[in-house]
Amino acid sequence: AESARRRKERGRQSVVRRPREVGARGGYLSGLIDSVSNALPFTKKGAVILINGKPAVEGQEGQACQEAMLAVRFKGKIFEEDVEEGRYFLLVSYGDPWSQRTLIAHGLAGLQGRVGVIATDGIWPISKGLPAIATKGWRFSKGRKQDSKSTNRDPFNHVRLKSGTVYLHELYSATDPRSTGRVTIPALWDSKTGRIINNESGEIVRILHQNFRSLGVNGIDLYPDDLQEEIERIRQIVYKINAGVYKCGYAAREEAYRAALIETFRAMDACESVLKGRQFLAGDRITELDVMAFPTLIRFDVSYYPAFRCHIRRMRNYPNLTAYLERLYKIEAFRSMVHMPTYA
Ligand SMILES: N[C@@H](CCC(=O)N[C@@H](CS)C(=O)NCC(=O)O)C(=O)O
């Protein structure tokens, strides 16, 4: 028989996993968001944001955001004749919003077991808050989560260190020996050449659904001809939200923070209007825009509202956006990215 203590513990766990539904629109997802975000201390000033381990200083606000968002070194493409099952790998962290875009596209395209996924050891680069030289940043080690169906070979064999750990910066250097500076996930890596093909999440999303179409089981097109004009019209709004939360979070001066805050919420309001009478951002089909927007919007109340001080409104104040997130949350490729407690 189960002891009372065990039962109590189990009860407590199930509260975390299956929170009470809250609010009039309270679907499962709203309940989950509320249960995590209600437990957070909403401080006025928010957290001190570190840039390369140091508190942000005046003048760095725009720069830091640019640095993170534009830290793109590799912009390669995949050619049809090179497409092979088990050859390419997504290097990701499951908790990271940029990585999640590529993982959503990977899931939507049905590329599981065809394009591998290799996760970093933790949800932060281990250099966070420390000089990169001391810890060497993102790493992949033996116990790493891996898409087991992708290949039986060790994809890192030819770059493996004696310690059995591969640091992402080594893969950057193997790709371009002159490579210095920021080493970011996600990246699309070619196990045949040992080189990184691309490290920009939006471009990787495009590669996954367009260039790997012959591998994917779902044959999806997230950038269909007839919606391209509409996608381009709305892309700026999504970009402004994605970038805006970081601008708020990294702002070191009050004026910069206020300007970023207003810009971000203008974009949120615009997004809410776009979704009026619409299933998805570009219309009745899921497109790249939804893949790019979801990881930011889904953690808005839990991450950006408290930590980046994006606190004019919460997601729950936007009925269309809330309903939209609920709609996407019903789809496995999106739902499997939601680990609410790790966003806080
Ligand atoms: N432009 C890149 C940005 C990716 C990015 O900022 N990745 C972060 C995820 S936490 C990272 O790896 N940061 C490590 C660092 O800045 O040291 C993209 O959209 O793919």
Side-chain angles (χ1 to χ4, degrees):
E2 214 179 5
S3 75
R5 213 180 107 224
R6 289 255 313 269
R7 260 202 314 276
K8 211 169 145 198
E9 255 162 34
R10 241 179 18 147
R12 207 177 291 140
Q13 277 169 11
S14 67
V15 170
V16 174
R17 272 195 228 110
R18 204 182 288 277
R20 194 166 54 88
E21 298 197 350
V22 183
R25 286 185 307 276
Y28 175 69
L29 183 58
S30 306
L32 195 60
I33 291 173
D34 284 348
S35 73
V36 177
S37 69
N38 286 342
L40 292 168
F42 290 110
T43 56
K44 268 237 166 76
K45 291 207 96 182
V48 174
I49 303 301
L50 301 179
I51 298 170
N52 292 333
K54 297 190 203 85
V57 294
E58 194 159 334
Q60 264 187 324
E61 57 277 355
Q63 198 186 321
C65 170
Q66 296 283 309
E67 231 184 273
M69 305 255 325
L70 305 175
V72 176
R73 220 169 298 271
F74 307 114
K75 295 178 74 73
K77 303 249 175 281
I78 302 269
F79 300 100
E80 211 174 307
E81 59 270 26
D82 294 328
V83 171
E84 276 172 57
E85 197 170 309
R87 171 169 171 176
Y88 299 97
F89 290 81
L90 281 178
L91 310 180
V92 299
S93 161
Y94 281 97
D96 159 53
W98 291 277
S99 298
Q100 288 178 349
R101 292 176 190 147
T102 65
L103 289 165
I104 292 168
H106 182 261
L108 286 173
L111 287 166
Q112 296 94 330
R114 293 165 169 86
V115 171
V117 176
I118 302 174
T120 56
D121 286 355
I123 60 168
W124 297 114
I126 52 171
S127 65
K128 216 147 192 137
L130 287 165
I133 195 103
T135 61
K136 303 181 187 151
W138 294 114
R139 71 169 192 211
F140 307 90
S141 59
K142 270 199 174 135
R144 65 186 177 266
K145 257 192 246 171
Q146 202 176 123
D147 182 340
S148 58
K149 278 175 284 174
S150 57
T151 177
N152 292 323
R153 297 173 291 128
D154 180 341
F156 286 145
N157 242 345
H158 48 294
V159 282
R160 182 163 288 284
L161 297 177
K162 280 201 194 96
S163 67
T165 299
V166 175
Y167 289 90
L168 183 59
H169 76 78
E170 296 170 66
L171 304 181
Y172 271 55
S173 297
T175 308
D176 176 3
R178 291 160 306 157
S179 163
T180 57
R182 231 159 157 126
V183 174
T184 61
I185 48 162
L188 179 68
W189 185 68
D190 180 352
S191 68
K192 196 159 174 173
T193 61
R195 294 162 69 94
I196 290 170
I197 305 280
N198 199 303
N199 73 331
E200 202 281 318
S201 54
E203 291 190 17
I204 297 173
V205 165
R206 182 76 60 89
I207 291 171
L208 291 172
H209 75 86
Q210 288 198 335
N211 300 81
F212 289 135
R213 204 167 289 156
S214 59
L215 288 183
V217 290
N218 296 341
I220 49 145
D221 184 0
L222 298 174
Y223 193 57
D225 288 344
D226 60 322
L227 289 181
Q228 282 176 13
E229 215 172 288
E230 190 60 358
I231 290 173
E232 294 315 323
R233 189 177 73 84
I234 300 163
R235 193 184 293 282
Q236 271 311 308
I237 300 174
V238 173
Y239 184 81
K240 276 189 180 152
I241 299 174
N242 290 346
V245 293
Y246 281 85
K247 281 191 189 162
C248 293
Y250 285 117
R253 281 179 301 119
E254 186 68 16
E255 313 89 89
Y257 163 65
R258 288 197 173 281
L261 193 65
I262 288 164
E263 195 187 355
T264 305
F265 279 91
R266 281 219 172 105
M268 290 281 283
D269 294 351
C271 207
E272 173 76 2
S273 307
V274 161
L275 283 165
K276 192 165 177 221
R278 254 186 204 188
Q279 295 273 304
F280 304 107
L281 282 170
D284 59 357
R285 274 160 289 162
I286 289 174
T287 65
E288 285 180 358
L289 287 183
D290 305 301
V291 172
M292 299 304 281
F294 184 82
T296 300
L297 297 177
I298 195 70
R299 50 170 51 66
F300 197 89
D301 288 3
V302 169
S303 296
Y304 305 133
Y305 186 101
F308 284 0
R309 295 166 285 164
C310 296
H311 34 41
I312 291 183
R313 281 183 280 282
R314 297 190 196 194
M315 192 53 72
R316 77 186 69 150
N317 303 127
Y318 291 104
N320 298 339
L321 272 163
T322 301
Y324 163 73
L325 288 179
E326 296 276 0
R327 202 169 294 130
L328 292 178
Y329 187 70
K330 292 205 176 87
I331 301 161
E332 174 61 23
F334 289 88
R335 185 174 52 244
S336 58
M337 292 303 115
V338 181
H339 316 285
M340 213 51 85
T342 66
Y343 299 163

